[in-house]
Amino acid sequence: MTTSNKHPDAPWRNFYGRVRGKTLRPSQLEYIEEDLGALSPGPVDWDVNPERTPLDLKARFGDRPVWLEIGFGGGEHLVHQAVTYPDVAIIGCEPFMNAVAMLLGKLREAGCENVSVHPGDVRNLFDVLPEASLDKAFLLYPDPWPKKKHHRRRFVTQEHLAPLHRALKPGAEFRVATDIPDYVRQALVEVPKAGFAWEAEAPEDWRRPWSDWHSTRYEQKALREGRVPHYLTFRKL
């Protein structure tokens, strides 16, 4: 499918991920209806921001540092970070509405008030994030697109990494977790090419999770199936 937000000036962007899965439960529909709108980081998509006016993150979050989680899945890690760091604002970006509904339920349960959610394509969010506005970003167990002909769909391509680099502050951290060795190889080529330094100095630096790590359902599945997690830390130059 493509994403254009039904605006004539929107760029033609192929989008290959799912946006809906199983039918949402009534409670999940309630979360989306009652909570999602108030959690918006601001006007992101082309239909509501055709001029691509940058988001006013200070008005939305005050002076808090702003972090971004790209594709938050079930939301376990995002909620853990939000609870652990209440003085940080975290934007979660995820196009799969079933995952969005799961996150909203977890946010209600945890009582987090420092999370914002964009339920859509992160490229649209990159369009309107001010330059050097993010203090940290996470890419955790992204879709591996295992077939070689589909590797260009992965996040770790210049199409995604260049605007991420622009949105991060100098020295900001970019964390990548994956259990796919070929994804690691591609990340180690493409992420430095986009203007990041890999922080590892020894094997333990990518074998051992971060001190504030919270394992996700995807990681648990990988471990059950015998795959080895890799934890890559990059720093914007």
Side-chain angles (χ1 to χ4, degrees):
M1 65 176 291
T2 59
T3 58
S4 65
N5 302 120
K6 299 180 181 179
H7 189 276
D9 295 330
W12 182 273
R13 285 172 171 162
N14 287 325
F15 181 80
Y16 300 99
R18 294 186 300 167
V19 294
R20 290 197 180 276
K22 296 179 181 178
T23 301
L24 296 174
R25 299 192 299 271
S27 61
Q28 294 177 317
L29 291 170
E30 177 185 306
Y31 300 153
I32 291 172
E33 179 68 26
E34 296 183 1
D35 299 352
L36 185 56
L39 294 176
S40 171
V44 172
D45 288 329
W46 281 80
D47 54 345
V48 294
N49 187 356
E51 302 298 325
R52 312 316 284 149
T53 302
L55 298 176
D56 189 343
L57 297 183
K58 186 174 180 61
R60 180 68 176 82
F61 302 121
D63 292 324
R64 291 174 170 179
V66 181
W67 297 355
L68 171 66
E69 184 163 336
I70 303 159
F72 51 72
E76 302 95 343
H77 175 269
L78 194 156
V79 172
H80 171 75
Q81 293 290 329
V83 171
T84 304
Y85 302 103
D87 295 329
V88 168
I90 306 178
I91 302 174
C93 187
E94 171 64 66
F96 186 44
M97 290 307 296
N98 297 63
V100 171
M102 291 174 64
L103 172 68
L104 296 179
K106 289 181 175 70
L107 290 175
R108 278 197 182 190
E109 184 178 349
C112 300
E113 297 182 350
N114 57 331
V115 172
S116 186
V117 181
H118 173 58
D121 192 329
V122 73
R123 292 172 295 184
N124 291 334
L125 180 63
F126 285 150
D127 287 346
V128 294
L129 281 174
E131 185 173 352
S133 59
L134 300 178
D135 294 83
K136 187 178 292 189
F138 305 92
L139 178 70
L140 310 176
Y141 292 93
D143 194 323
W145 295 111
K147 293 182 180 179
K148 187 173 182 179
K149 66 180 181 180
H150 294 156
H151 287 184
R152 60 187 175 81
R153 300 180 183 180
R154 292 174 171 175
F155 183 88
V156 288
T157 62
Q158 297 307 307
E159 177 188 6
H160 300 92
L161 293 168
L164 172 64
H165 183 272
R166 184 194 66 83
L168 286 166
K169 294 179 179 178
E173 186 176 83
F174 175 38
R175 295 181 180 180
V176 180
T178 181
D179 59 298
I180 307 299
D182 185 66
Y183 205 104
V184 172
R185 285 191 288 270
Q186 186 171 343
L188 292 179
V189 170
E190 297 296 331
V191 179
K193 192 186 299 183
F196 295 85
W198 186 28
E199 296 279 274
E201 296 180 354
E204 280 302 302
D205 293 334
W206 55 261
R207 292 173 179 163
R208 184 177 57 243
W210 302 280
S211 60
D212 57 359
W213 173 244
H214 185 83
S215 187
T216 71
R217 66 185 56 208
Y218 300 106
E219 178 168 274
Q220 292 304 308
K221 179 181 179 183
L223 292 170
R224 288 194 302 270
E225 296 177 357
R227 295 190 297 276
V228 178
H230 298 71
Y231 308 96
L232 309 178
T233 304
F234 299 95
R235 188 80 55 182
K236 176 179 173 176
L237 297 174

